[in-house]
Structures are given as structure tokens and as C-alpha cells.
């Protein structure tokens, strides 16, 4: 039987970071590296389906690692900045199976990276593209958050368990397209209260939608706890485009 998490207490998140308008090839890499970017469009079409993320992790001033969550699998690869260009290796990834439409989109997404050679950043957005302009990925930064605590009504969260906190559109509870933020917390010791912080991109927030939090605790592949109530939350949305 699933036990219930007693409550989730949260506060509205604040802006964590932002960036200025520059070309990456002549810009401080800190403006784009070590942040989570969420895909908003691919080759001119708005992103749809499961949330797709990207992170750039520098190794030296010229190269680093890229990784994130694609439409189904986690992916990873390398990049190098030289001669005013950025070059990506072909991407590797995990091998989970998902519905065919998601797998098709994922294959298209991952195949795009080796064709790209440039990054533009504008305000809180990032664009990966190529010289010919026929390949383009756009992203928004996860620049805001909601945070609070999760408490078990009985017992504790056991060491080795994982707490997953999901920020979703309340009208799309079973649709991955409704998820705009996820945090995964690894429990290292017996505790009955855990702090959480779920980051999200304001650009993904629909001002006419209502959003809620859902949490569950996984232990040895089994759901041990689930939220008794899905609390609603007010989110920051991006300013309307002029």
C-alpha cells in the first residue's frame, strides 16, 4: 500500500541567474555553461512532448562535456570551441524505449548536434545553429524555482531511496508535455523531512494555466510514498514578446 506524504510547503522561487546579449565565440563561457537549458524549438518548430534539457560543463577554456535529458533518454557528448566556432561530437546516450513519436523526435534532436557550429545568446535564451542556417535549436534557461519541504506522515525516508518532485500543469497530470520542472533527491540517511528546490524556465509557463507539485519516493524500484495533496503554486512567467 502506498503511504502518503503529509504535506508540501513551498515558497515562490526567485530568479537565479540571467545573461547578457553576446556571441558565445567571444563571450565569457560562464554565461552559458553550468546551467540547465530547456529546449523551446527545433529547426523552426516549437518543442512538444517531454521536456528536453541541455547542460554544458567546461573541462578547459576550449572544450567540455555536453549532456542532458532528451525526449526519452539521457544523452552525453563533447564540445570544443576553436577558431570562433563550437563543434559537437556525435551524442551517446542511455537505451530506454519510449513511444515511437518520442523516439523519432529524440533521434532528430541528437542528430542535429554534429551539424551545429555556433551559439548565440539573447537575454535568457540560447540558440545553437550552423553557418548555413538550416539547423537550429533554441533553449530557455531554468532561471526561477519553487522550494519547500516534504514530510512523511509516518516512518522516514530510507537511505538509498529517491525523491522525485515534479512541477506540472494541473490540466495535464499524465502528459509528459505538462511537466516544466523536475528535481531528483537522493536520500543518504533516515530522515522524515527533506528540503526541495525545483528549477523551471519562465518561458515555459503558460499564464492561463494552473501549476501544481507532485512528489513520490522510489525505493528498490517501488513507489513507497506519494503526495496526499498536490499543492498549487504561482509561477513566474516570461514577459510577452513585443
Amino acid at each position: 500500500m502506498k503511504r502518503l506524504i503529509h504535506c508540501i510547503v513551498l515558497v515562490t522561487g526567485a530568479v537565479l541567474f540571467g545573461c547578457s546579449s553576446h556571441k558565445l565565440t567571444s563571450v565569457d563561457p560562464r554565461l552559458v555553461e553550468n546551467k540547465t537549458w530547456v529546449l523551446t524549438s527545433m529547426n523552426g518548430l516549437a518543442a512538444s512532448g517531454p521536456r528536453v534539457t541541455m547542460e554544458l560543463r567546461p573541462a578547459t577554456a576550449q572544450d567540455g562535456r555536453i549532456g542532458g535529458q532528451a525526449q526519452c533518454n539521457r544523452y552525453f557528448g563533447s564540445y570544443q570551441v576553436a577558431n570562433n566556432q563550437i563543434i559537437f561530437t556525435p551524442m551517446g546516450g542511455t537505451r530506454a524505449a519510449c513511444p515511437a513519436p518520442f523516439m523519432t523526435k529524440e533521434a532528430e534532436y541528437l542528430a542535429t548536434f554534429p551539424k551545429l557550429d555556433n551559439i548565440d545568446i539573447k537575454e535568457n535564451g540560447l540558440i545553437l545553429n550552423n553557418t548555413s542556417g538550416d539547423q537550429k535549436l533554441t533553449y530557455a534557461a531554468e532561471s526561477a524555482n519553487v522550494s519547500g519541504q516534504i514530510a512523511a506522515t509516518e516512518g522516514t525516508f530510507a537511505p538509498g531511496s529517491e525523491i522525485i518532485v515534479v512541477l506540472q500543469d494541473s490540466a495535464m497530470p499524465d502528459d509528459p508535455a505538462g511537466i516544466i520542472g523536475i528535481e531528483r533527491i537522493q536520500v543518504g540517511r533516515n530522515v522524515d523531512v527533506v528540503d526541495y528546490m525545483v528549477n523551471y524556465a519562465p518561458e515555459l509557463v503558460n499564464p492561463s494555466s494552473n501549476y501544481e507539485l507532485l512528489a513520490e519516493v522510489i525505493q528498490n524500484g517501488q513507489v513507497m510514498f506519494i503526495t496526499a495533496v498536490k499543492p498549487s503554486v504561482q509561477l513566474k512567467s516570461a514577459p510577452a514578446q513585443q
Side-chain angles (χ1 to χ4, degrees), residues 83-122:
N83 300 321
N84 293 325
Q85 289 185 318
I86 185 166
I87 300 171
F88 296 97
T89 63
M91 297 294 142
T94 55
R95 296 181 178 275
C98 293
F102 297 160
M103 300 301 291
T104 299
K105 283 291 186 182
E106 177 173 284
E108 180 185 355
Y109 174 69
L110 297 180
T112 302
F113 283 98
K115 305 172 185 176
L116 305 172
D117 56 22
N118 186 66
I119 292 185
D120 292 331
I121 55 176
K122 183 179 180 181

Side-chain angles (χ1 to χ4, degrees), residues 54-56 64-68 75-79 88 91 113:
M54 181 195 68
E55 297 176 3
L56 300 175
R65 300 287 293 170
I66 179 175
Y75 69 96
F76 47 83
S78 300
Y79 67 91
F88 296 97
M91 297 294 142
F113 283 98

Side-chain angles (χ1 to χ4, degrees), residues 147-158:
S147 61
Q149 292 186 319
I150 305 169
T153 55
E154 56 182 87
T156 60
F157 303 128

Side-chain angles (χ1 to χ4, degrees), residues 45-85:
L45 298 177
S48 60
R51 170 176 163 271
V52 175
T53 65
M54 181 195 68
E55 297 176 3
L56 300 175
R57 303 292 183 187
T60 70
Q62 288 77 39
D63 57 49
R65 300 287 293 170
I66 179 175
Q69 177 66 51
Q71 286 81 351
C72 180
N73 290 280
R74 296 287 301 176
Y75 69 96
F76 47 83
S78 300
Y79 67 91
Q80 184 175 46
V81 177
N83 300 321
N84 293 325
Q85 289 185 318

Side-chain angles (χ1 to χ4, degrees), residues 130-180:
N130 62 2
T131 303
S132 61
D134 61 345
Q135 301 291 320
K136 184 176 181 181
L137 302 174
T138 64
Y139 299 83
E142 289 193 335
S143 58
N145 69 72
V146 291
S147 61
Q149 292 186 319
I150 305 169
T153 55
E154 56 182 87
T156 60
F157 303 128
S161 56
E162 180 182 43
I163 301 176
I164 303 174
V165 186
V166 174
L167 178 61
Q168 64 184 14
D169 187 327
S170 60
M172 307 168 67
D174 300 313
D175 188 339
I179 296 174
I180 65 168

